[in-house]
Amino acid sequence: MFSREGRAGNIDANRTAESTGEQLPLFGPPPLYEGEDTALYYKLLSRVSSFVKPRDILEQIWVQDLVDITWEVFRLRRLKASLMTANAYKGLKEVLVPLVDWPEPDDLFKAWAARKPEAIEAVTKLLASVGLTIDAVTAQTLAVMLNEIDRIDRMIATAEARWAAIIREIDRHRETLGPKLRQAVHHIEEGQLRVIESGATIDGTNSP
C-alpha cells in the first residue's frame, strides 16, 4: 500500500506536470531511442500542451499520444533519409558499373560512401561524362531500397492516421463535454429550486 505522503507526492507531481506541460509521472519516461534529444522532446510536449490546453485527464492522455506520435513520425522520416544515405553507394554502383570502365570500382564506391573529396569529385565527373547527375544515383538508390522505403512510408501513414484520429477525439470530447456540463448545472439548479419551493432544508426536513 502507498502511504498518504506518497500519494500526496504523486498528486503534487501530477499537478506540477499539468501546469508546466511536462510529462505526467504516470506516463513513465519518454519513448526515446539512444541519441535522441530528451530536452527537445519535452519542449515539444510543452508547446503542444500549451496550444491544446488539456482540460481533463483524457485530454492529457491524448496530448501525450499526440506528442509521441509526432515524435515517431519525425523519427521515421529521419530514418528513411538515413537509410537512403547509408545505401547510396548501392545506387551509385547500379548507375556507373554498366556505363563506365573504371579500375577497381569497389574502392571508388567505398571512398565515395565515406565522403572522401577526391572520390566525390571523381564520381561527379563520371556522372557528367554520361550526362547524369547525383539525382540518377538517388533514383537508383530508391529503386534498390524501395521495399524498405515503402514499409517506412506505410508506418508514417499509419502514425499520421492515428494522429488525426486523436485530434477528432479531442474535438468530439469537447463538443460533448460542454452540453454535459450545462446539463449538470441545469439539474443542480432545478434541484435547488425544488428545495426552495418545497420549503425543505438541506438535510431534507421541512422548514418551520
Side-chain angles (χ1 to χ4, degrees):
M1 297 294 291
F2 293 106
S3 66
R4 179 176 298 177
E5 291 78 6
R7 290 195 299 270
N10 288 337
I11 292 172
D12 290 341
N14 287 342
R15 287 174 177 170
T16 300
E18 292 171 20
S19 62
T20 60
E22 295 178 355
Q23 190 176 37
L24 294 175
L26 65 90
F27 295 139
L32 303 181
Y33 289 174
E34 182 71 26
E36 292 186 329
D37 192 334
T38 303
L40 186 59
Y41 173 89
Y42 280 116
K43 183 176 181 179
L44 176 63
L45 177 60
S46 177
R47 295 188 67 175
V48 173
S49 297
S50 298
F51 181 78
V52 178
K53 295 181 174 60
R55 302 176 183 179
D56 53 37
I57 186 60
L58 284 178
E59 293 190 3
Q60 289 166 9
I61 292 172
W62 285 326
V63 164
Q64 184 69 52
D65 285 344
L66 281 176
V67 171
D68 289 347
I69 292 171
T70 301
W71 191 271
E72 180 182 348
V73 168
F74 290 158
R75 174 194 291 143
L76 288 170
R77 290 174 179 170
R78 289 197 312 272
L79 293 180
K80 184 171 72 169
S82 296
L83 184 65
M84 288 286 293
T85 300
N87 289 276
Y89 74 95
K90 297 179 182 178
L92 178 65
K93 188 174 183 179
E94 291 291 328
V95 171
L96 288 185
V97 166
L99 298 177
V100 299
D101 184 17
W102 187 266
E104 300 180 354
D106 286 341
D107 291 342
L108 174 64
F109 300 146
K110 290 177 182 178
W112 181 84
R115 311 311 294 159
K116 293 184 177 180
E118 62 275 13
I120 293 174
E121 182 179 358
V123 165
T124 301
K125 290 180 179 179
L126 284 172
L127 289 171
S129 70
V130 291
L132 299 176
T133 67
I134 197 64
D135 285 344
V137 176
T138 302
Q140 192 62 54
T141 304
L142 178 61
V144 172
M145 304 303 298
L146 188 58
N147 288 337
E148 289 77 7
I149 295 298
D150 183 58
R151 282 198 290 269
I152 293 175
D153 282 340
R154 288 200 299 269
M155 293 170 67
I156 291 173
T158 299
E160 289 174 339
R162 286 159 46 207
W163 192 94
I166 292 172
I167 294 294
R168 289 194 298 270
E169 287 299 322
I170 293 176
D171 287 341
R172 187 179 299 114
H173 178 68
R174 290 186 172 180
E175 287 176 0
T176 59
L177 183 60
K180 285 181 180 179
L181 290 175
R182 287 192 294 271
Q183 186 177 15
V185 170
H186 180 67
H187 286 328
I188 292 172
E189 291 175 343
E190 281 189 341
Q192 291 174 337
L193 181 59
R194 284 196 296 270
V195 168
I196 294 172
E197 290 177 345
S198 65
T201 61
I202 294 177
D203 61 6
T205 61
N206 291 329
S207 60

